[in-house]
Amino acid sequence: DAQGSAYVTGETFSATFPTTAGVFDRLHNGNGDVFVTKLNASGSGLEYSTFIGGSQLDGAVAIAVDAQGSAYVTGYTFSPDFPVTAGAFDTTRAGLDAFVTKFTPDGASLVYSTFLGGAGHEQGQGIAVDAGGNAYVTGLTESFDSPFTSANEGFPVTAGAFQTKGSFDAFVTKLNPTGSGLVYSTYLGG
């Protein structure tokens, strides 16, 4: 960030991974959990360090930070009980889903947390944030929309998206600043 602090995320199987007081979650929740850690500018101490996860395997792959110091994290989750927030875009997991989570600048709570995926497997692999607080997420999706059912089992796409059908493709999604809806979302692949 602007003060030189480093933000790190990933997956840990360790119940003794270092956490700090007053953060979102100090307890290891299941198999593998996501960790989000902010190191001070000299690397000599933790500004905060927290777990986030559910009862199954969860892992983070990418992190971004906005000008206010909020961390945005994406990755994958098998956990139906992965922490999501009221009013989030998607509060129900379907298979292996990507997730997008925004923390408060002190790591004490979630601004929003949402699943992102269809009936297949998804994984968020990159994230960026703009000055307006929109999160841009990319990753991979195996979800496709079956022509034999009326339900949309595919990855969530928006009207007018570049590519509305696909499977085993990349995805590019822009979430609004509250995490409650998609500005746009598209498959990207052959």
Side-chain angles (χ1 to χ4, degrees):
D1 64 15
Q3 291 73 41
S5 299
Y7 296 74
V8 184
T9 193
E11 175 183 357
T12 181
F13 293 88
S14 175
T16 60
F17 189 88
T19 60
T20 55
V23 291
F24 173 70
D25 189 355
R26 296 192 70 191
L27 300 175
H28 191 261
N29 298 289
N31 192 350
D33 265 1
V34 171
F35 68 86
V36 179
T37 300
K38 178 182 177 183
L39 288 155
N40 66 19
S42 66
S44 62
L46 302 178
E47 296 286 334
Y48 71 77
S49 188
T50 184
F51 290 115
I52 182 171
S55 57
Q56 303 298 316
L57 181 64
D58 310 301
V61 180
I63 191 167
V65 181
D66 67 18
Q68 291 73 41
S70 290
Y72 297 67
V73 182
T74 191
Y76 58 88
T77 179
F78 278 104
S79 298
D81 55 347
F82 188 88
V84 293
T85 53
F89 168 68
D90 185 356
T91 58
T92 305
R93 179 192 58 91
L96 172 67
D97 271 358
F99 69 86
V100 182
T101 300
K102 177 182 177 181
F103 285 88
T104 55
D106 59 3
S109 59
L110 305 179
V111 176
Y112 68 77
S113 187
T114 184
F115 293 112
L116 183 61
H121 290 171
E122 278 78 34
Q123 183 179 98
Q125 296 185 321
I127 192 165
V129 61
D130 67 18
N134 297 289
Y136 300 78
V137 185
T138 189
L140 59 93
T141 177
E142 296 177 8
S143 294
F144 69 99
D145 193 8
S146 171
F148 304 108
T149 66
S150 61
N152 177 14
E153 302 95 355
F155 187 81
V157 294
T158 52
F162 171 72
Q163 186 176 340
T164 58
K165 301 285 184 186
S167 179
F168 290 91
D169 286 332
F171 68 83
V172 181
T173 300
K174 180 180 179 181
L175 276 168
N176 68 18
T178 62
S180 62
L182 306 179
V183 177
Y184 66 74
S185 187
T186 185
Y187 286 99
L188 185 61

